[in-house]
Amino acid sequence: MSVIKALIFDFDGTILDTETAWYEAFREIAREHDIELTLETYGQCIGTSLHVFDPYDYLITDQKVPMDREMLHKDVHSRHTRMMAEEGIRPGILDYLAGAKQLGLRIGLASSSKRSWIDKYLAQLGIGDYFETIRTAEDVELVKPHPALYELALQDLGVQPNEAIAIEDSPNGARAAAAAGMHYIVVPNPVTTFLAFDGEPHRLQSLEELSLQALLDGIAAK
């Protein structure tokens, strides 16, 4: 029987859907140049760094879009900012955070993004105080799907891998949690729902589908 002592959340796409806006921003620009940027192609970089697939290089170098990287970067970020103005915290997240705190569970965050990015949105959402540890790209040599981010968060919280649940939205994030030896569930967003996940993970359309207590009871019963 597993006794769960901690929840560790991914950020982008899990707590706040920043990922759909990134994809839509790149896809809009690509279409303006008669290029179809498929989700299958773009999805390689979701939940990890741009080392696997760099959409900037793809458009400029491979597809010959007549823009330099700085110009493209500004255009993408401008569109992303506009789209994110309408985005709120994903359903069920607040209930899970509040429920975990009430139950005395440790709460962490592990993200492949930079700390400044995370801090910006946690402040906007007003949820930063929930997290006892926040591990980001600056803390590791390899981001997800490598398990290092989760391993550090587990160490910080003083729990074993089988005593923690990762909340993820992407295949790369799920691979990182699995490699760290954790329990995990996936709650895909409108972009990652079309990506292929390894195995048959516990998958929800929204955290509102399953209460935290029901999740804990289900894992304890295994």
Side-chain angles (χ1 to χ4, degrees):
M1 177 183 292
S2 297
V3 177
I4 299 301
K5 299 179 180 178
L7 297 184
I8 304 179
F9 292 78
D10 171 53
F11 182 75
D12 289 285
T14 298
I15 290 177
L16 183 68
D17 184 11
T18 58
E19 291 171 348
T20 298
W22 283 127
Y23 175 54
E24 291 298 335
F26 279 108
R27 188 167 68 163
E28 277 184 2
I29 294 170
R31 284 182 169 175
E32 289 168 7
H33 295 275
D34 299 319
I35 300 162
E36 185 59 39
L37 177 59
T38 67
L39 184 53
E40 182 180 11
T41 298
Y42 179 81
Q44 298 172 80
C45 69
I46 294 178
T48 183
S49 67
L50 299 185
H51 291 102
V52 176
F53 171 74
D54 187 327
Y56 294 100
D57 284 347
Y58 173 76
L59 292 177
I60 295 170
T61 304
D62 297 348
Q63 299 298 326
K64 312 301 181 186
V65 169
M67 303 171 73
D68 62 27
R69 192 177 181 96
E70 182 179 357
M71 185 186 306
L72 180 56
H73 185 272
K74 287 181 178 179
D75 194 356
V76 168
H77 277 252
S78 175
R79 295 175 194 237
H80 185 271
T81 299
R82 170 175 52 81
M83 295 175 191
M84 285 305 300
E86 303 176 7
E87 198 65 39
I89 194 167
R90 292 194 69 199
I93 291 292
L94 286 176
D95 288 340
Y96 264 58
L97 289 172
K101 187 172 183 179
Q102 186 174 15
L103 291 170
L105 300 180
R106 312 296 298 273
I107 306 174
L109 190 151
S111 170
S112 294
S113 294
K114 293 183 178 180
R115 182 61 185 259
S116 59
W117 174 264
I118 300 299
D119 286 345
K120 167 188 172 182
Y121 282 111
L122 289 182
Q124 287 184 17
L125 297 171
I127 59 173
D129 289 345
Y130 279 105
F131 301 100
E132 298 178 57
T133 185
I134 297 173
R135 289 295 188 167
T136 60
E138 292 90 340
D139 296 317
V140 295
E141 291 185 11
L142 297 172
V143 295
K144 302 171 187 177
H146 194 277
L149 283 163
Y150 277 120
E151 290 170 346
L152 284 177
L154 289 166
Q155 291 173 21
D156 294 343
L157 297 176
V159 299
Q160 297 300 312
N162 67 344
E163 296 174 332
I165 305 171
I167 314 294
E168 274 288 352
D169 75 298
S170 72
N172 282 317
R175 290 182 189 115
M182 302 171 65
H183 302 280
Y184 65 95
I185 61 172
V186 298
V187 191
N189 58 58
V191 167
T192 57
T193 193
F194 295 104
L195 301 179
F197 286 81
D198 298 342
E200 297 181 1
H202 191 156
R203 179 170 175 152
L204 304 171
Q205 290 186 331
S206 164
L207 286 181
E208 291 181 325
E209 289 182 21
L210 185 70
S211 71
L212 175 57
Q213 189 60 60
L215 173 63
L216 297 175
D217 291 344
I219 289 175
K222 288 184 178 180

